[in-house]
Amino acid sequence: MDGLDLSSVVDWIAENLLVDTVRITLPATGEPVLNEETGQLEYPDGDVLYEGPGAVQGTSSQSEISATPNSSLPWVQETTSRYRLLTPLHAPLAPKDAIASVVAVHDTANTALLGRSWICTDPGRAGTVEAVRITPLDQNQQVTP
């Protein structure tokens, strides 16, 4: 029995969904270096695993935003914001704890994704029948200017 031919679906997804440029990097390692101009400590950049077509999508359900209490606090400190990263099947699997960001958007009037970053909460998903790679994300809480 032949498998399902998803080539036309893969092409449609590439044309219509994977329209922004995303970057997946490993977390930075090494000691921070003092930037004498800003007076801030800066960590070296992590290794880039992938940069190319992709998309970041938030979930449409409010139930996907949850809060996790810190064990030492009686209240909830941070929320977990569920997103997903879509990349072509030929892109490498993003490992857990890799950092995803959008570095260019197809619609220059909609730049809300720029300057944000997400942490890969699990490795990219894999399945028997796939048309796009899906990686679960959690938005980093601090947005860089």
Side-chain angles (χ1 to χ4, degrees):
M1 178 194 282
D2 290 333
L4 186 60
D5 180 12
L6 294 178
S7 59
S8 60
V9 176
V10 170
D11 293 342
W12 187 90
I13 289 172
E15 270 184 47
N16 295 286
L17 292 179
L18 306 181
V19 293
D20 293 331
T21 304
V22 299
R23 179 182 297 149
I24 303 170
T25 58
L26 293 175
T29 58
E31 296 298 316
V33 177
L34 178 65
N35 180 329
E36 305 236 354
E37 290 180 20
T38 65
Q40 300 291 317
L41 290 175
E42 296 178 356
Y43 286 87
D45 293 332
D47 293 333
V48 175
L49 297 177
Y50 173 77
E51 184 168 326
V56 171
Q57 297 180 330
T59 60
S60 59
S61 170
Q62 277 297 97
S63 65
E64 291 295 325
I65 299 174
S66 60
T68 308
N70 185 317
S71 63
S72 64
L73 298 175
W75 63 87
V76 172
Q77 186 170 345
E78 275 191 16
T79 59
T80 300
S81 304
R82 298 289 180 214
Y83 286 79
R84 61 185 160 243
L85 172 67
L86 306 178
T87 52
L89 294 174
H90 63 79
L93 282 172
K96 184 179 183 327
D97 298 330
I99 305 298
S101 59
V102 176
V103 295
V105 292
H106 73 286
D107 181 357
T108 56
N110 186 2
T111 59
L113 292 174
L114 299 174
R116 297 182 188 207
S117 65
W118 294 264
I119 189 166
C120 299
T121 57
D122 284 310
R125 295 180 179 160
T128 303
V129 179
E130 293 181 304
V132 66
R133 175 155 294 122
I134 301 172
T135 304
L137 301 174
D138 179 21
Q139 182 171 263
N140 286 320
Q141 297 299 318
Q142 184 174 352
V143 177
T144 56

